[in-house]
Amino acid sequence: MSTRDQLKKTFELIKLERQADLDYYRQKVLLRSLQQRTKEGTTWYPVRLKRDYIGTGERLIVEIERTSHLDQPHAFQSGKLVSMFSNAAGTPEKDHVNGVINYVRDNTMVITLNADELPEWIESTLLGVDVMFDEMSYREMEFALKEVMNAEDGRIAELREILLGNGKASYNSSEEMPQDSLLNESQRDALRKIISAQDVGFIHGPPGTGKTTTLVHAITHILKKEKQVLVCAPSNAAVDLLADKLSDEGHSVLRIGHPARVTEQSLSKTLDARIAEHESYRELRILRKKMEQVRSAALKYRRNFGYAERQQRKLLLQESRALKADADMLEFYIVNDLLQTMQVICSTLVGSSHPVLRGKKFLTAFIDEAAQALEPACWIPLLRTGRVIFAGDHHQLPPTIKSVEAARMGLAQTLFEKGVHRHPDMAAMLKLQYRMNQDIMRFSSRYFYNDELIADESVKSWLLNIHEPPIDFIDTAGCGYHEAQDPETLSRFNIDEARLLIAQVEALVERVGPELWLDQKISLGIITPYRAQVDSLNKLADSSGILDPLSHLITINTVDAFQGQERDVIAISFVRSNEKSEVGFLGDIRRTNVAMTRARKKLIMIGDSATLGSHPFYNELLDYVQNKGFYKSAFEINTL
């Protein structure tokens, strides 16, 4: 298949994904009644306005609070597009205002509105907020794919052939290699490959191996020769982490993106904040204020006025437009000054299409978490660069894809994965891990990483205490702990397994000692692949007298929410237990790899071997825990 044919196929697949996403949105939002949407968590209603204020970049921000359905799970999270509306009688249906969520905490949501002033209906007692469909991301991905497909020559055509075709990736062995004493040998090897790469390079970072650290060192070394680099990642959280780390290294960082999508620590690096710090900003504010005053004066004139008033209004509007043109020109100068002087430009993959970057080219672009990024999104920053360095791990979480068909037909395979297989000589795997006990690490190392991972001396023998083994696998086979399915969400849960897991965690806390647990701030993550099981575990944990005092140290969530995180103790509920031995969602073993490798000192796994053992991965896992003496039957525990 030619590179253009591959891209045409990807273009069709992203159209499938767009349609699946839109269908999901229609089913969950557009075609549902207000009552259904509220029940399903795609709408908050009713809400009340707590306060409004002007935030970064003089943007209008509202803080709202939901007043009912307080325990209802919902689809709202930071960065999501939303529409705020009033349901009061007499309010036109089209009266709504769009915005972006800054953050959601408990029953409070903070939204940056895309408006200059608050709508009159905002004081209504019948306010609501809907999740919106993100059309812009798909538009940018499709545009990038067309550009890459149609490129006849130039750098993007060369990169297309290197990444998807038979193009050779070159490197310059004469480049001066740094001797970075802060990095281990495999990290230095990765650094050497990145510095010598002329087209593409790949940092393969298994769990706990310091991928972000290596990436920051690589960017620092590149900046000694290049004035500026572009740094991207698929998620805002990953971009903000890099922006903060690079800023800590002393680099000047400009974070492109909506301030509502940026963490509090990174707000000072956003374009809006940098503009406000610029020496010419005071002049810009004066111009804008005068423009608003002149415009307001012009709009005070009503329809019924004479020739003189009409002329006066016309002159005032002309003056307002002239002042706006001056303000726009000054802002254009400030933005370009910032773009010229900042060393690191950070954005999400889609965010790299921001209008302020139009026409701008970079010698090098870095893409972190590239194994979680859709291929079409990666081509967006590639249109702006001469070479690209990818960092990620294709044995951890894949991209989130709603269309099962698109995923099956190839959309789940990332540009990172394709590149690593096509150019193994340009890829460097990090091998020394600093997170987990060697027994927790060893199974993943054997199954996914050619048994090449090594536990650093500082963590290899890490335990909660000398009496606690690093792993417990508790087998529920034959106990009658059957899974069930939520009829509304179709998510699966296993209440008996959830009870057993919470009981095991309580027993562990009692063995270690609750006071010691609190004193040492031992962190605990409870992970399960299914949202319905998360709800079951939360209810049980909330009603536990032993776990309640430790609630600030406990996180219960799905695998995806734990990507990039770690805890002292991880407990996993596999849920699946059925007569057909169907593992379903657990068949994506990369998710299980992520779940297991979050643990530092203790890993508890609970599952039904009769169901799990039908899959070769889980069969090997069962062999591993039995051979190491980490296996227990739930019967043993229940009879103790």
Side-chain angles (χ1 to χ4, degrees), residues 81-278:
L81 293 170
V82 292
S83 177
M84 199 169 172
F85 63 88
S86 169
N87 204 38
T91 304
E93 200 173 309
K94 63 180 173 61
D95 267 14
H96 63 272
V97 59
N98 295 341
V100 178
I101 299 174
N102 290 43
Y103 69 83
V104 183
R105 199 165 294 146
D106 299 325
N107 292 300
T108 300
M109 190 188 304
V110 175
I111 304 168
T112 299
L113 297 181
N114 297 332
D116 295 327
E117 54 190 43
L118 288 173
E120 291 176 12
W121 47 260
I122 200 100
E123 298 298 333
S124 164
T125 55
L126 296 170
L127 293 176
V129 184
D130 282 328
V131 168
M132 286 185 69
F133 178 66
D134 185 9
E135 174 74 25
M136 190 271 284
S137 295
Y138 289 103
R139 209 166 45 235
E140 293 297 343
M141 285 191 279
E142 287 173 8
F143 173 80
L145 281 171
K146 284 178 184 172
E147 289 289 299
V148 180
M149 257 189 285
N150 296 332
E152 295 295 337
D153 49 28
R155 190 57 176 150
I156 193 63
E158 291 172 355
L159 288 173
R160 176 188 69 207
E161 298 307 314
I162 289 167
L163 286 164
L164 299 178
N166 297 318
K168 292 275 187 276
S170 58
Y171 60 92
N172 184 357
S173 56
S174 65
E175 286 281 349
E176 187 182 335
M177 292 300 147
Q179 297 301 312
D180 200 320
S181 59
L182 296 174
L183 299 179
N184 63 50
E185 185 49 47
S186 67
Q187 289 173 327
R188 284 196 292 271
D189 179 48
L191 187 57
R192 284 191 286 269
K193 286 197 172 177
I194 288 166
I195 288 171
S196 64
Q198 300 299 291
D199 309 296
V200 294
F202 303 90
I203 302 173
H204 180 194
T209 53
K211 170 177 64 68
T212 303
T213 299
T214 309
L215 200 56
V216 167
H217 278 255
I219 292 166
T220 298
H221 281 288
I222 295 290
L223 283 170
K224 289 175 182 174
K225 292 201 168 183
E226 297 174 17
K227 185 183 169 188
Q228 191 178 66
V229 295
L230 176 64
V231 175
C232 298
S235 70
N236 284 289
V239 177
D240 288 338
L241 175 66
L242 274 172
D244 293 341
K245 298 260 186 199
L246 288 162
S247 186
D248 291 344
E249 287 294 311
H251 303 305
S252 56
V253 177
L254 180 62
R255 172 68 162 94
I256 303 292
H258 198 297
R261 293 190 167 104
V262 175
T263 60
E264 213 167 306
Q265 300 95 298
S266 294
L267 265 179
S268 61
K269 305 172 193 74
T270 59
L271 186 59
D272 286 353
R274 295 287 193 197
I275 289 171
E277 290 170 358
H278 197 273

Side-chain angles (χ1 to χ4, degrees), residues 76 92 101 117 124 156 202 212 251-252 265 285 295 332 338-339 350 374 390 397 414 441 503 560 579 595:
F76 295 92
I101 299 174
E117 54 190 43
S124 164
I156 193 63
F202 303 90
T212 303
H251 303 305
S252 56
Q265 300 95 298
R285 283 198 72 172
R295 186 170 173 272
F332 179 79
L338 289 169
L339 288 171
V350 174
L374 287 170
F390 296 91
L397 288 184
T414 62
M441 169 203 79
D560 297 48
E579 291 174 1

